[in-house]
Amino acid sequence: MANNNSQKFSLKSFLAIWAILTAIGIWISIKGTPWLMMKSASHQMHTAILTVIVFSVAAAPVAAGIYAVQIYALAKWRYKGEGVPPDAEPLRNNVKAVSAWIGVSALLTTFLLIWGLAALASDENVSGPRPMTVNVTGQQWLWSFQYPIAQTLLHHNVESNVLEIPLNNQANFNITSVDVTHGFWVPSLGVKVDANPGAITTLSVIPNKLGVYDIRCVELCGLNHSAMITKAYVVTEKQFLTWLKAQPASQPVATATVKN
Amino acid sequence: MKYGRALLTSLLATILGAVVIAGIAVALAHLQPHQNPYSGVVGTTSETVNGQQVSVKHVALSLATYPDSLFTGQPHGANGGAHPDWVSYNHDNLVVPANSIVTITLDQYDSGGALNNSFFGQVRGTLGGTATFSTWGYAGCDPSTFVCTSTAKQSLADNGVKSTLTSNQWPYYSVGHTFTLRSTGSAPALLVSVPLPAVYGDKDGAFYGPQTTPNAIGGTYPIQHTTVTFSFKVKGPGVYQWNCEYPCGVKTGNFGEAMSTYGYMSGTLTVK
């Protein structure tokens, strides 16, 4: 078998492979990400989808480079039988290659860090019109929602097992649990936070698309954890008020404190 | 040859591992109730649709909640099975036809206390939005606090006063259990939740009122127990899960053991 080690490295061939794989990776990142993720119904979810796309596009040339090295090596330097040549000189002695590798990695990770921090700040600084509070209670294995605005508008409490919120109005959630830790997740709104017993976690969101969206528990909480599902309805303000008025008055019976 | 044998061995090990993991996943996904299927009494009734009376299937289910697993019929086995002291429903594997009205008459034999979530004090998802509660009260027992100041009056069968209330909620403190049913991903959306009033206990923890011995080994349950009746409509086929939302168990927020085990305080309703 001819000794393929005599074949020199072809930069053009390697770059061609790398460029094709990078193009494929970027195309998958841009087209595949929205298809894989839930449809967006809020600014937070839009930011989340955009962040995944940007991070994937940034990672595409890096991954493509690794795969290009593998493909090139398998194609050009595979051996069979006796007389396998020794390894080439390690790159650690190649100052230019190592400097480029570290420099590009540092720039890339710095960019991703800044993007991530900016996206996080954007999610936390939610400010919108007509903020409305919804109290969320998780219990094995059901979500219940209390609407304090009903006390103001209708002079009685309203509780529901579905979430109903008006479009383009800020919804502020106070979330707790009365037994074990649950995870309150509305995928299409791009919000998720733990529901902890004895504590209140908060989050805010402004839904910007009408529709019906899933609410799931994402913290394993017992036998029927997988059935702890309900719906979030994003409706017009008029529809929300009509729905609120149609709900029966909730008269809470005596409740005990959390027992441990 | 060595290379071929190694490749074959690694492939077989990978396939075997995948089969084992898949088998575990399938078994968990098909976790079944522990008791035999129960379909109640099937008949017909009528309902009003667009101003006209139409015939619809009707299913009458007789359920009960007990403070232990020693009740008549012994679905948990002789002497109450592995957990004779666990609270339990008498049926956990309910099967009803699609597009039928289901009426549940539920006898509740257990004591209780306060809910930790007022949401479950309301009647939800039933026809008319109400349930009918039949309960027994006694002199010296306060329904708003569930406190009885006297010791048990087990010999005074005529001392209780029966009350019947049709309401969209149980307005008092004393909830023994709940029947709370929700759809899983496979079934049309439905939530039914009904609080089940408790039986009074005296200040020493014994049941108030006269007792009877319905089970095989001498335990007693209150003759003057509570009875709740409610109806709801089911649509297309699917599987619903139900459980009790009054946390009277142990561990994990008092929802452990019986509260989290099919066959005791949790089960399924299959619509076929």
Side-chain angles (χ1 to χ4, degrees), chain A residues 172-195:
Chain A
N172 299 326
F173 297 103
N174 296 324
I175 301 143
T176 190
S177 165
V178 292
D179 42 52
V180 299
T181 299
H182 300 277
F184 178 70
W185 183 39
V186 192
S188 289
L189 295 182
V191 292
K192 179 165 60 171
V193 72
D194 279 354

Side-chain angles (χ1 to χ4, degrees), chain B residues 249-257:
Chain B
V250 294
K251 304 176 185 175
T252 55
N254 292 349
F255 274 104
E257 295 187 343

Side-chain angles (χ1 to χ4, degrees), chain B residues 201-223:
Chain B
D202 71 1
K203 67 180 184 63
D204 295 326
F207 284 121
Y208 225 79
Q211 308 293 297
T212 188
T213 311
N215 60 67
I217 63 167
T220 60
Y221 303 129
I223 294 173

Side-chain angles (χ1 to χ4, degrees), chain A:
Chain A
M1 178 81 184
N3 187 345
N4 287 337
N5 198 29
S6 62
Q7 295 189 35
K8 287 187 178 177
F9 174 68
S10 169
L11 184 61
K12 274 187 184 175
S13 302
F14 171 77
L15 286 176
I17 299 171
W18 177 81
I20 291 169
L21 292 177
T22 298
I24 293 172
I26 290 174
W27 185 85
I28 291 174
S29 301
I30 294 172
K31 292 293 182 185
T33 300
W35 180 72
L36 284 170
M37 295 181 75
M38 294 281 183
K39 55 184 177 180
S40 170
S42 73
H43 172 75
Q44 275 107 315
M45 188 56 179
H46 174 76
T47 301
I49 294 173
L50 187 61
T51 300
V52 173
I53 292 174
V54 167
F55 279 39
S56 300
V57 167
V62 178
I66 295 168
Y67 291 131
V69 167
Q70 289 179 332
I71 292 169
Y72 188 92
L74 280 171
K76 286 285 188 182
W77 294 320
R78 65 182 183 279
Y79 294 93
K80 196 173 174 181
E82 302 295 329
V84 176
D87 285 341
E89 189 180 328
L91 270 181
R92 61 174 175 267
N93 294 327
N94 187 322
V95 175
K96 282 184 184 174
V98 173
S99 301
W101 187 265
I102 292 175
V104 169
S105 299
L107 280 173
L108 200 56
T109 49
T110 302
F111 166 73
L112 297 178
L113 172 66
I114 294 171
W115 180 284
L117 289 172
L120 199 59
S122 167
D123 279 357
E124 290 179 353
N125 294 321
V126 175
S127 177
R130 299 175 291 283
M132 182 186 79
T133 297
V134 180
N135 296 327
V136 183
T137 304
Q139 174 168 344
Q140 289 171 312
W141 290 279
L142 200 68
W143 295 105
S144 58
F145 305 92
Q146 299 84 37
Y147 298 83
I149 193 173
Q151 190 64 42
T152 306
L153 296 177
L154 307 172
H155 305 292
H156 63 74
N157 295 318
V158 165
E159 280 182 306
S160 170
N161 74 303
V162 296
L163 174 64
E164 195 104 357
I165 47 178
L167 181 73
N168 294 328
N169 283 239
Q170 181 176 332
N172 299 326
F173 297 103
N174 296 324
I175 301 143
T176 190
S177 165
V178 292
D179 42 52
V180 299
T181 299
H182 300 277
F184 178 70
W185 183 39
V186 192
S188 289
L189 295 182
V191 292
K192 179 165 60 171
V193 72
D194 279 354
N196 298 311
I200 295 177
T201 46
T202 60
L203 60 86
S204 298
V205 71
I206 303 172
N208 59 17
K209 191 173 180 181
L210 297 172
V212 183
Y213 309 105
D214 282 345
I215 299 175
R216 291 181 170 269
C217 177
V218 288
E219 190 69 33
L220 186 60
C221 58
L223 178 68
N224 291 328
H225 159 73
S226 60
M228 197 165 164
I229 305 170
T230 188
K231 296 291 185 185
Y233 295 88
V234 178
V235 297
T236 63
E237 281 190 38
K238 189 177 175 183
Q239 287 172 327
F240 173 74
L241 288 171
T242 303
W243 173 85
L244 196 68
K245 288 174 186 172
Q247 299 309 299
S250 167
Q251 306 277 346
V253 296
T255 55
T257 53
V258 174
K259 290 180 279 188
N260 293 312

